[in-house]
């Protein structure tokens, strides 16, 4: 009937495919006070700080809010910055108790300065409630995190800090067609201070921790001690009021027109979602499991065999579309330093260039070199 929701764990659905679901027992998810567990992952919440731990590694998700006297091009802290990294009050509540899904809601009150100047943050504070929801699903080796708040403050940057299980000198982050490895420092110069803050498209991994998200975010390896980073910081929000400004401490000259922008203060409600895994997981699989939900439909009854409209192995799929000729065009990329064999489930077709012109025939599979991108137009089939 209307308003009834059924939550189920579905295993082994093939990529670009389908299978019939039948009720079956799953290893349950449970809540015990401020602890969630599903047999694969255990999550605990610190009631004093509002941070969480995964499999005994604590202090994750600590919110750090600092001033931002920069612009849409560059972050710049006030000369005398005030960082707010501890909540004034924390409440932890169980909102789902299993057996397929369990969640804890962490409501934390922060007193953020209402604005910043190039010199310092304002003395006036605004109470902001940040609601963090931690969710474990049956059978998943990671924790889902949702951070929601209503931003009514100006000129500040909010980041989530994640202590690393192991100190590291590098990070690996997703880009459009691969994974880039970055160190602790970045090139700077007389016109721009070096800031080792980088973009990540869907995931970043460092020091035994992998964090995946549903949008383009920026990150930085922080807490540098003894030549290594001990924490990862992910930017959840940047609020600034200028397209460009100058001079400022991180950049002495303007990067563009000095125009005030109210929209760049990003006022109003925000919800940021990410997933965290400590296990040695495939980051592409983690991002898809976390943010590409299965579609469900109602069958006509009877037994429906599992099927697959498209079978691609050996590479990451970037896009699938119907080309002008009517063929199904599949673009793949190899994000590794070794040649891979891309399997097409027995399908035939042509490797094509960016204009869709045939380059070479393909019969079931083809080799793709390190860091290479390829587009194949498939012949026949039902996809």
């Amino acid at each position: 009937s209307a308003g009834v929701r059924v939550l189920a764990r579905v295993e082994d659905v093939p990529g670009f495919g389908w299978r019939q679901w039948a009720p079956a027992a799953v290893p349950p998810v449970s809540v015990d006070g401020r602890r969630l567990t599903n047999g694969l992952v255990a999550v605990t919440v610190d009631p004093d700080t509002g941070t969480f731990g995964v499999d005994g590694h604590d202090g994750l998700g600590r919110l750090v809010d600092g001033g931002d006297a920069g612009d849409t091009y560059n972050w710049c802290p006030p000369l005398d910055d005030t960082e707010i990294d501890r909540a004034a009050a924390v409440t932890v509540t169980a909102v789902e108790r299993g057996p397929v899904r369990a969640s804890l809601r962490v409501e934390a009150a922060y007193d953020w300065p209402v604005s910043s100047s190039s010199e310092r943050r304002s003395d006036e504070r605004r109470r902001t409630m940040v609601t963090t929801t931690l969710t474990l699903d049956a059978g998943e080796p990671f924790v889902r995190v949702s951070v929601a708040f209503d931003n009514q403050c100006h000129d500040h940057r909010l980041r989530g800090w994640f202590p690393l299980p192991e100190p590291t000198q590098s990070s690996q982050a997703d880009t459009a067609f691969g994974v880039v490895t970055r160190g602790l420092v970045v090139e700077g110069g007389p016109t721009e201070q070096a800031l080792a803050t980088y973009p990540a498209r869907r995931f970043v991994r460092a020091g035994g921790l992998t964090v995946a998200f549903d949008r383009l975010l920026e990150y930085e390896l922080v807490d540098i001690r003894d030549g290594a980073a001990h924490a990862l910081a992910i930017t959840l929000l940047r609020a600034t009021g200028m397209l460009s400004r100058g001079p400022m401490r991180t950049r002495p000259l303007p990067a563009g027109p000095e125009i005030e922008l109210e929209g760049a203060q990003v006022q109003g409600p925000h919800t940021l979602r990410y997933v965290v895994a400590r296990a040695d997981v495939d980051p592409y699989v983690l991002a898809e499991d976390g943010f590409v939900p299965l579609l469900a439909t109602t069958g006509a009854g009877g037994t429906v065999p599992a099927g697959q409209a498209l079978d691609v192995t050996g590479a990451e799929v970037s896009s699938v579309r119907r080309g002008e000729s009517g063929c199904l065009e599949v673009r793949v990329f190899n994000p590794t330093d070794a040649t891979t064999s891309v399997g097409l489930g027995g399908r035939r077709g042509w490797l094509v260039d960016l204009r869709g012109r045939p380059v070479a025939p393909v019969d079931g599979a083809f080799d793709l070199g390190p860091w290479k991108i390829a587009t194949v137009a498939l012949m026949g089939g039902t996809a």
Side-chain angles (χ1 to χ4, degrees):
S1 63
V4 175
R5 186 182 69 167
V6 176
L7 186 64
R9 172 69 183 174
V10 182
E11 300 280 358
D12 301 327
V13 179
F16 303 104
W18 60 89
R19 65 165 297 176
Q20 182 174 321
W21 175 77
V26 296
V29 189
S30 62
V31 180
D32 182 8
R34 295 181 295 273
R35 183 175 186 269
L36 306 173
T37 183
N38 65 359
L40 298 174
V41 179
V43 178
T44 56
V45 175
D46 185 325
D48 295 324
T49 65
T51 60
F52 63 95
V54 175
D55 294 337
H57 183 68
D58 299 325
L60 301 173
R62 181 168 67 97
L63 297 180
V64 179
D65 185 77
D68 192 343
D71 54 26
T72 59
Y73 292 88
N74 295 75
W75 168 79
C76 182
L79 184 62
D80 182 17
D81 197 8
T82 300
E83 289 191 335
I84 308 299
D85 62 356
R86 191 172 183 86
V90 176
T91 302
V92 184
T93 308
V95 291
E96 292 182 284
R97 295 185 172 274
V100 179
R101 172 179 294 162
S103 299
L104 293 174
R105 178 183 297 142
V106 182
E107 295 178 298
Y110 291 88
D111 294 321
W112 292 341
V114 299
S115 62
S116 297
S117 70
S118 60
E119 299 298 320
R120 58 192 296 272
R121 302 189 77 179
S122 66
D123 294 328
E124 182 183 356
R125 305 294 178 95
R126 177 166 283 120
R127 175 62 58 97
T128 302
M129 295 299 301
V130 180
T131 301
T132 300
T133 304
L134 306 166
T135 300
L136 271 187
D137 283 0
E140 292 188 340
F142 57 86
V143 56
R144 299 173 183 268
V145 186
S146 171
V147 182
F149 57 93
D150 187 355
N151 178 44
Q152 296 299 323
C153 297
H154 292 69
D155 306 301
H156 67 122
R157 180 179 67 173
L158 177 66
R159 301 203 289 185
W161 277 50
F162 302 84
L164 297 175
E166 305 166 2
T168 185
Q169 295 180 331
S170 65
S171 62
Q172 294 78 43
D174 182 33
T175 61
F177 292 102
V179 178
V180 61
T181 298
R182 299 181 174 110
L184 301 180
V185 296
V186 66
E187 181 181 359
T191 60
E192 188 169 344
Q193 179 179 322
L195 298 173
T197 305
Y198 302 106
R201 181 170 174 260
R202 289 188 298 174
F203 61 78
V204 58
R205 61 192 318 183
L209 200 69
T210 304
V211 183
F213 17 82
D214 63 349
R215 66 190 69 187
L216 180 71
L217 294 178
E218 66 175 19
Y219 74 95
E220 182 181 359
L221 292 177
V222 293
D223 189 14
I224 310 298
R225 290 179 278 121
D226 301 322
H230 293 254
L232 168 70
I234 294 178
T235 300
L236 303 179
L237 176 138
R238 269 199 72 213
T240 180
M242 295 293 294
L243 175 65
S244 178
R245 73 169 83 221
M248 57 190 203
R249 291 196 296 130
T250 55
R251 197 193 63 238
L253 299 174
E258 297 185 57
I259 300 174
E260 293 187 10
L261 298 175
E262 180 57 31
Q265 296 286 8
V266 288
Q267 301 290 279
H270 296 268
T271 300
L272 291 304
R273 298 179 178 88
Y274 60 88
V275 298
V276 180
R278 278 202 62 193
D280 185 17
V281 297
D282 183 325
Y284 287 103
V285 173
L286 178 65
E288 292 186 358
D289 285 350
F291 300 106
V292 183
L294 291 175
L295 299 178
T297 187
T298 302
T303 300
V304 179
Q308 194 168 17
L310 178 64
D311 182 10
V312 181
T313 59
E316 300 297 329
V317 177
S318 171
S319 71
V320 179
R321 68 168 194 161
R322 187 70 63 183
E324 293 181 1
S325 65
C327 291
L328 193 69
E329 292 186 356
V330 181
R331 182 161 294 152
V332 298
F333 63 96
N334 177 9
T336 72
D337 59 359
T339 297
T340 184
S341 177
V342 182
L344 301 172
R347 300 278 291 272
R348 301 174 63 189
W350 286 83
L351 288 173
V352 299
D353 62 17
L354 292 178
R355 291 184 177 181
R357 298 174 299 189
V359 175
V362 172
D363 189 356
F366 65 94
D367 288 339
L368 188 62
W371 321 116
K372 295 293 185 179
I373 306 168
T375 305
V376 59
L378 299 176
M379 300 170 57
T382 60

